Amino acid sequence: MVERKKQMTRDKVSRLVNWGHWFAFFNGFLAMIVGARYLSSVGYPETFIGWGYLAVSTIGHFSFLAFIVYVVFLFPVTLLLPYSKILRGYAALVASLGLCILLYDTIVYDDYGIHLSPFAFDLAWTDLNALLKSTSYIVTPISIILIELTAANFIWKRIEKLEKKQLGNKAIAFVGICFISSHLVHIWADASDVTQITRFDDTYPLSYPATARSFMESHGIEGTNIEDNRYQTKSRKLSYPVKPLQCKTPLIQEQQSNVLIVSVDGLRADMVNEQTMPFLTQYQTDNKQFIDHFSGGNQFKTGIFSILYGLQGNYGDRKEFYHTAPVMTQTLAKAGYQQAIFLPQDNANPFIGRAIFDELTPFINHSDEGSAKTDSKNVAQFINWQASQQSHWFSIVNLTAPKHYDTPIGFLGIETVKPHIMLKPAEKVLYNQYRQSLYFIDQQLNQLIDSVDKDTVVMITGTHGQVFSSNPSEVNQNLSPGNVKVPFVMHWPKAAADTVTYRTSHYGIVPTIMSQILHCNNPSTDYSSGYSLLQPSEQSWVYIGDSRTFAIYQDAEITVLDRHGKYQIYDINYDKRLKRKLSAPELIQVMREGRRLYNQ
């Protein structure tokens, strides 16, 4: 009798376990439906291989999440309380809560580009009214609970039929194959730089696809190192500019100023002095210098984007801007300006097929002797180009020698000095080699300025700063002041020399040219994230970086964040990490600015 009761209990528990497996499988399917909202945020694949990977990844990932929820929350209760009515109600409640959290995460990810975390939850809670725009946040949870209760009872009544068909093992095998194959495909894609697959790495919550780049390379399997320019993000209606531009072109052509922007990769603000860069130091003194100026990023890609578009770097990751030329260069073209950009091949390659240089004639140079020789070619080519222009012109000259610590063969530099900052022995060598490169660039700047007349508007700045490291990964991830704070000097015809002490950034270049040279009456918010350099910014922060990793510079602290919601707060010198929570109001302003130009 006792044995029979034990057997009945075991049979009951076994039936409940089988029911739990099918209920988890059903919820994995529901999670896939909810998870489709993530794809509307990042964009859909454009190739068969992209769709194939996404299919197996979605099935494997969400089924795995559903199974984890079952193991953690349902299986123990099945053993402790093997009563079907209690278990079905409890399971429906747990599943409903899980799907609601997943649904809320899709909303947060769509608006902020990050998944739920304690930080993201605080942010979303503060901005709750903007996220929940209708009564669906009441109706949806109720609908989910009703679906879960119906499904729990439906599966329970048919569990014996499902067992007889022996579909369980087949379903488990199918999900297992999808899960494993998605990771194997990602290992290959990561090693081969197949961005049509790897771009989905951060799309799903708790997704950590396997990578084996170093393992595969150590076994002689090399990646293709080809960048896929078809990176897709959410396709929304872009309002850029927000309103039609109202610009007045002077009737007399002579009233239109030529404009030259010189952007030097790796030009630190604290390295411009009489010993290292005597020409630029004197040029700053004789013109309008901005002593608290920031780039829009720590790499050429984000730095040049902020110069030409005047927008935060996260816009540069949006597919709409792959096919949208800067408003500034479009307006310059309408005003009859001849436009050109002079840059090295390495900096031009990432923008092939994109619209950022559409209105500019690109002059691309390369030299096997190094970036310093390339810079000399670009300077000489610009001098010849501008001398041949018969009408007003706009040009950008990009110099890169300091970024690579390069000088021409046989160049006679300056004596080494003790670094003004704390550096390791190897970094001290880079520091002084960097100074040699700056001394060379200073001479190139002298040639550039001598070649243009005094009525030309000239802006000299750094595309980004420089940190003294030979590790490219470390340099690209560093958002310290040394890597983003750059000098900025502006020669404005007939304007007196002046020192600007309020904080400025590359976002102010476009509004300055649009308002002062192209005479556009629109507020700068119609086409830019910044304000004219000739007036203090209304914002208490500066956004620096792209959509994956960025920093928010405020008056007394620097906050570095990634799209997973992890953040660190430093003092304004980036020396000490502060133990404090992030201020949500400022971050909400940042996030809203990053989606302001889109119609939802």
Side-chain angles (χ1 to χ4, degrees):
M1 191 71 178
V2 175
E3 284 298 323
R4 186 179 178 185
K5 287 184 178 180
K6 289 183 179 181
Q7 184 61 41
M8 290 177 63
T9 301
R10 283 194 293 267
D11 291 343
K12 188 176 183 181
V13 170
S14 177
R15 188 183 182 197
L16 288 171
V17 169
N18 287 334
W19 169 85
H21 288 162
W22 282 107
F23 188 70
F25 183 79
F26 170 76
N27 275 281
F29 177 74
L30 288 184
M32 294 176 210
I33 297 175
V34 175
R37 288 172 56 93
Y38 292 111
L39 301 182
S40 66
S41 296
V42 300
Y44 299 96
E46 292 188 339
T47 62
F48 287 114
I49 189 172
W51 276 112
Y53 169 76
L54 191 62
V56 296
S57 175
T58 301
I59 294 171
H61 182 69
F62 286 109
S63 297
F64 179 74
L65 287 183
F67 180 72
I68 291 298
V69 171
Y70 166 75
V71 171
V72 174
F73 294 101
L74 297 185
F75 183 70
V77 177
T78 303
L79 300 179
L80 296 174
L81 294 172
Y83 304 104
S84 64
K85 292 183 179 180
I86 295 176
L87 189 62
R88 278 179 278 164
Y90 172 72
L93 184 63
V94 170
S96 299
L97 182 62
L99 287 175
C100 287
I101 292 174
L102 182 64
L103 187 61
Y104 189 47
D105 184 69
T106 65
I107 297 173
V108 172
Y109 186 82
D110 184 55
D111 269 21
Y112 302 137
I114 57 178
H115 290 293
L116 274 179
S117 64
F119 150 74
F121 185 81
D122 288 344
L123 174 66
W125 183 259
T126 305
D127 201 23
L128 195 60
N129 289 334
L131 292 174
L132 305 179
K133 302 170 184 175
S134 67
T135 57
S136 60
Y137 66 91
I138 297 175
V139 176
T140 302
I142 295 175
S143 301
I144 291 175
I145 291 176
L146 292 176
I147 292 172
E148 292 291 353
L149 287 171
T150 302
N153 290 322
F154 182 85
I155 295 172
W156 176 253
K157 291 178 180 178
R158 288 160 180 79
I159 191 64
E160 291 179 353
K161 292 182 179 180
L162 291 172
E163 289 177 351
K164 289 180 181 179
K165 293 182 179 180
Q166 296 182 344
L167 296 175
N169 291 335
K170 296 177 181 178
I172 292 173
F174 175 70
V175 170
I177 290 172
C178 289
F179 183 79
I180 294 172
S181 60
S182 67
H183 285 272
L184 291 176
V185 170
H186 188 274
I187 289 173
W188 164 76
D190 179 68
S192 302
D193 290 330
V194 183
T195 55
Q196 56 188 301
I197 289 177
T198 57
R199 74 182 184 86
F200 293 106
D201 287 0
D202 300 323
T203 302
Y204 294 146
L206 302 176
S207 176
Y208 303 97
T211 59
R213 184 187 296 261
S214 59
F215 174 82
M216 296 184 76
E217 289 179 350
S218 67
H219 286 75
I221 306 176
E222 298 182 358
T224 61
N225 295 320
I226 298 175
E227 181 177 356
D228 189 342
N229 285 330
R230 290 170 296 184
Y231 182 95
Q232 296 292 305
T233 50
K234 182 172 183 177
S235 180
R236 296 172 172 173
K237 184 179 178 181
L238 178 66
S239 298
Y240 174 71
V242 175
K243 296 179 181 178
L245 295 178
Q246 298 177 352
C247 305
K248 299 179 181 178
T249 304
L251 297 177
I252 305 175
Q253 279 197 357
E254 285 72 16
Q255 294 179 350
Q256 293 181 284
S257 299
N258 297 329
V259 182
L260 169 62
I261 298 177
V262 185
S263 68
V264 183
D265 291 6
L267 183 57
R268 288 173 63 114
D270 59 353
M271 294 296 288
V272 180
N273 54 61
E274 292 182 358
Q275 188 178 19
T276 306
M277 303 189 78
F279 169 77
L280 184 56
T281 301
Q282 185 61 48
Y283 194 72
Q284 284 188 148
T285 304
D286 296 339
N287 292 281
K288 186 180 287 290
Q289 62 174 315
F290 298 75
I291 62 174
D292 194 20
H293 188 86
F294 291 86
S295 172
N298 62 346
Q299 303 175 45
F300 174 78
K301 198 173 179 181
T302 44
I304 199 67
F305 183 86
S306 62
I307 289 174
L308 283 171
Y309 285 91
L311 295 171
Q312 293 180 177
N314 58 321
Y315 280 109
D317 293 331
R318 298 279 190 172
K319 73 172 183 180
E320 294 83 5
F321 281 95
Y322 278 39
H323 312 294
T324 304
V327 160
M328 181 180 70
T329 57
Q330 292 183 59
T331 309
L332 285 165
K334 290 178 181 178
Y337 274 78
Q338 299 299 310
Q339 301 181 71
I341 183 169
F342 301 81
L343 74 168
Q345 183 73 55
D346 289 346
N347 281 349
N349 287 339
F351 294 103
I352 293 175
R354 303 187 194 179
I356 186 170
F357 300 144
D358 273 5
E359 302 295 342
L360 299 159
T361 300
F363 291 87
I364 301 171
N365 283 296
H366 173 74
S367 174
D368 293 334
E369 295 180 23
S371 56
K373 185 66 175 179
T374 304
D375 288 347
S376 297
K377 287 184 176 181
N378 280 320
V379 169
Q381 198 166 37
F382 164 77
I383 293 173
N384 292 332
W385 176 83
Q386 70 88 21
S388 66
Q389 297 307 303
Q390 302 299 317
S391 63
H392 42 282
W393 52 264
F394 168 84
S395 180
I396 296 178
V397 179
N398 175 230
L399 307 176
T400 64
K403 176 183 176 181
H404 303 105
Y405 307 96
D406 194 33
T407 54
I409 297 173
F411 179 74
L412 297 177
I414 51 179
E415 63 180 8
T416 59
V417 297
K418 180 180 179 181
H420 69 286
I421 53 179
M422 293 294 295
L423 295 174
K424 298 175 182 178
E427 294 171 341
K428 292 179 181 179
V429 176
L430 291 177
Y431 176 90
N432 275 289
Q433 181 58 35
Y434 174 70
R435 291 179 61 252
Q436 309 300 325
S437 184
L438 290 183
Y439 189 64
F440 161 73
I441 286 295
D442 194 61
Q443 297 175 9
Q444 300 301 304
L445 294 176
N446 196 348
Q447 292 183 42
L448 281 171
I449 302 307
D450 284 347
S451 69
V452 299
D453 58 52
K454 293 184 178 180
D455 291 330
T456 299
V457 174
V458 178
M459 300 178 185
I460 301 176
T461 188
T463 321
H464 53 80
Q466 184 88 335
V467 290
F468 303 110
S469 171
S470 57
N471 184 341
S473 178
E474 178 184 346
V475 172
N476 291 339
Q477 295 176 5
N478 189 297
L479 288 162
S480 66
N483 216 16
V484 300
K485 192 171 184 180
V486 295
F488 190 91
V489 56
M490 181 165 65
H491 169 74
W492 203 271
K494 300 178 183 179
D498 185 24
T499 299
V500 176
T501 57
Y502 53 79
R503 185 169 58 197
T504 56
S505 71
H506 282 359
Y507 304 125
I509 295 175
V510 169
T512 303
I513 294 175
M514 294 287 285
S515 62
Q516 301 299 316
I517 296 176
L518 295 170
H519 308 287
C520 299
N521 297 324
N522 298 61
S524 61
T525 51
D526 280 358
Y527 52 82
S528 172
S529 297
Y531 299 86
S532 172
L533 296 168
L534 303 179
Q535 66 184 47
S537 172
E538 297 179 13
Q539 295 171 333
S540 61
W541 46 267
V542 178
Y543 179 106
I544 299 172
D546 53 26
S547 62
R548 290 183 174 271
T549 304
F550 60 93
I552 302 173
Y553 272 69
Q554 295 172 273
D555 292 334
E557 63 187 36
I558 304 167
T559 305
V560 179
L561 307 97
D562 65 22
R563 68 186 306 158
H564 293 289
K566 298 177 183 178
Y567 69 94
Q568 297 176 340
I569 301 178
Y570 300 89
D571 65 7
I572 198 61
N573 296 317
Y574 214 75
D575 295 328
K576 182 180 179 182
R577 185 175 174 183
L578 306 178
K579 295 182 179 179
R580 66 175 67 168
K581 289 189 67 176
L582 184 139
S583 176
E586 283 77 11
L587 186 59
I588 290 173
Q589 292 179 32
V590 174
M591 297 299 186
R592 284 177 176 167
E593 176 59 36
R595 66 181 192 264
R596 182 172 58 83
L597 299 182
Y598 293 97
N599 292 330
Q600 303 294 331

